[in-house]
Amino acid sequence: MTVREGSGTQGRDTLAPVLRDVRAVVLDTDGVITDSARVHAAAWKTAFDTYLRAHPPEDADQGRPFDERDDYLRYVDGRPRLDGAAAFLVSRGLDPPAEAVREVAADKERLYTGMLREHGIDAYPGTVRLLRALRRGGVSLAAASASRHAGELLTGAKVLDLFDTLVDGGEAARLELPGKPHPALFLEAVRRLGVPADRAAVVEDALAGVEAGRRGGFAVVVGVDRTAGPGTGEALLRHGAHLVVRDLGELVGAGAPR
């Protein structure tokens, strides 16, 4: 997909020590590369809250509105749409038929697509800074996402050409890859790069994603905690992250964590 900007260890002295020995890095898209997780969360909230009002659980407390931070991170972030929709509804004591799960997921998709086309999505400056530093160091780069919109997002954010390969939700469906926390999506990405998982890093903001990275045997799993909410960083560590940062720009320059 791209032409490498560097080779060998050139430029790696600007990277955090934990990344200097890896040969490849796989990054999730939503909330890691692009500022799109908030749009996903908003679309899920509208879809779930509408369903909960129409089908209230027996326990009134279980009918409370979808939380765009906690519920999003716990149940839907990083998962295929149908898996996320089912996981959240079950968490509220519901046993929805498959058709209802599909309807909620489709409603979310319609809402998300409309928001995306109306507002557009930018890449995080800190992420772009890290991507360019990795390229200067000759590190292979892959974007991997359960979203079928990943290519559209990366193109719109003008960062698609920074990656050697992209494995999106469409490819995952075609290859019948299981969803996160299974590591299949990330393993397919490094397979395309020709790098073993134990010589590669995964960068994720979702609990299911960092767990997938750890299960896949990746050398480094970086958690991105954009919300910095109570316990969110600790949760990423518990689920498999080796370290957690608030912004990927922290992994470049003199102040990069060890």
Side-chain angles (χ1 to χ4, degrees):
M1 183 181 295
T2 63
V3 177
R4 305 306 305 158
E5 292 183 358
S7 62
T9 59
Q10 178 185 4
R12 293 196 188 190
D13 56 345
T14 65
L15 297 170
V18 294
L19 294 179
R20 289 179 187 170
D21 292 329
V22 301
R23 291 171 47 198
V25 177
V26 182
L27 299 93
D28 179 43
T29 55
D30 299 313
V32 173
I33 303 170
T34 59
D35 185 18
S36 46
R38 61 183 174 80
V39 184
H40 278 291
W44 276 121
K45 177 173 177 58
T46 300
F48 282 136
D49 288 355
T50 299
Y51 186 85
L52 289 172
R53 286 193 297 270
H55 306 86
E58 291 185 9
D59 182 343
D61 183 62
Q62 292 283 65
R64 66 189 181 279
F66 176 82
D67 188 287
E68 291 176 78
R69 186 188 69 192
D70 294 339
D71 287 330
Y72 177 73
L73 291 174
R74 184 180 297 274
Y75 300 110
V76 300
D77 191 18
R79 300 176 185 268
R81 281 197 309 275
L82 291 176
D83 292 352
F88 172 74
L89 295 176
V90 169
S91 79
R92 292 303 181 87
L94 298 171
D95 184 19
E99 181 59 29
V101 173
R102 286 193 292 270
E103 288 177 1
V104 172
D107 190 26
K108 180 267 174 184
E109 178 70 358
R110 177 184 57 79
L111 292 161
Y112 174 75
T113 301
M115 293 175 184
L116 186 63
R117 290 175 178 167
E118 181 178 355
H119 302 292
I121 299 294
D122 294 323
Y124 289 104
T127 298
V128 176
R129 185 176 169 219
L130 174 63
L131 291 172
R132 295 194 182 281
L134 290 165
R135 284 173 57 83
R136 287 194 297 271
V139 179
S140 298
L141 297 173
S145 173
S147 172
R148 295 174 182 264
H149 297 286
E152 178 184 355
L153 285 171
L154 297 178
T155 299
K158 298 180 174 59
V159 293
L160 183 63
D161 62 346
L162 294 176
F163 294 92
D164 298 289
T165 192
L166 164 65
V167 186
D168 65 5
E171 279 292 277
R174 182 180 69 82
L175 296 171
E176 299 183 342
L177 302 178
K180 305 169 192 175
H182 195 285
L185 187 72
F186 296 147
L187 294 175
E188 173 63 17
V190 289
R191 184 194 68 77
R192 295 184 181 193
L193 296 175
V195 177
D198 62 4
R199 296 299 307 278
V202 162
V203 185
E204 257 283 5
D205 68 324
L207 300 181
V210 294
E211 185 175 338
R214 183 58 74 94
R215 287 188 186 185
F218 284 81
V220 180
V221 180
V222 179
V224 183
D225 182 16
R226 303 274 184 201
T227 65
T232 53
E234 291 81 358
L236 287 166
L237 291 169
R238 286 197 307 271
H239 280 259
H242 292 101
L243 75 158
V244 174
V245 296
R246 299 243 347 236
D247 184 89
L248 291 178
E250 297 172 32
L251 298 175
V252 187
R258 297 178 182 274

